Amino acid sequence: MKGKLIGTQSSTVFASYLDQDYKGVEVKLYPTGDEPLIDLGNGRLDYVVIDILVAQNFIDKNPGCCRIVSEIPRTPEIFGPGAGAAFRPEDTDLASMFNKAIAEADADGTFKTIEAKYFKIDIRGKK
């Protein structure tokens, strides 16, 4: 990646990832996630590191512009343990019902069916 210009949104896990794992590579930070994608489409960047769903949405709206070349490994020290839902401490029954519903949707294939209908990629990403 030396000699390439990479764009990403500032103050995000992606900026932290680039800072930690891509020392010596020129990174341009942007205030929003749309701006690096626009610059990529206009040839002002070589790569963009951003949320894959945001990237896929941009690519769908701008055919021929660019492509996803890789997913970033989700290291817990930068990206955390994963996505989550927050409940008030006293809502233990609601949290249990939520967890049960997610587990059932995984077990019976509902999650995969919904994912295939709305997304072109594995929305859970690589671990």
Side-chain angles (χ1 to χ4, degrees):
M1 301 294 283
K2 295 229 187 246
K4 302 294 182 186
L5 181 57
I6 303 173
T8 195
Q9 183 176 355
S10 62
S11 301
T12 64
V13 292
F14 302 107
S16 297
Y17 169 77
L18 290 170
D19 185 54
Q20 177 179 299
D21 292 354
Y22 285 83
K23 301 279 187 209
V25 174
E26 188 176 359
V27 175
K28 184 172 182 185
L29 300 175
Y30 295 83
T32 72
D34 293 332
E35 292 166 296
L37 290 166
I38 292 167
D39 273 2
L40 179 67
N42 289 322
R44 292 187 285 267
L45 292 173
D46 297 300
Y47 299 96
V48 168
V49 176
I50 199 159
D51 182 84
I52 196 165
L53 294 175
V54 173
Q56 186 63 59
N57 186 48
F58 180 81
I59 291 167
D60 290 347
K61 291 179 180 177
N62 299 278
C65 155
C66 28
R67 64 189 172 93
I68 295 171
V69 295
S70 180
E71 281 187 63
I72 296 170
R74 298 292 196 234
T75 54
E77 56 274 1
I78 293 200
F79 293 93
F87 300 94
R88 294 178 300 193
E90 64 269 19
D91 288 337
T92 55
D93 288 344
L94 179 60
S96 293
M97 288 188 296
F98 183 85
N99 288 333
K100 182 179 181 220
I102 295 295
E104 288 173 356
D106 264 344
D108 70 9
T110 301
F111 177 83
K112 281 291 181 193
T113 301
I114 294 169
E115 179 184 57
K117 181 176 179 181
Y118 294 102
F119 302 99
K120 294 179 179 179
I121 56 173
D122 174 5
I123 63 171
R124 290 193 173 166
K126 294 181 181 176
K127 295 184 181 192

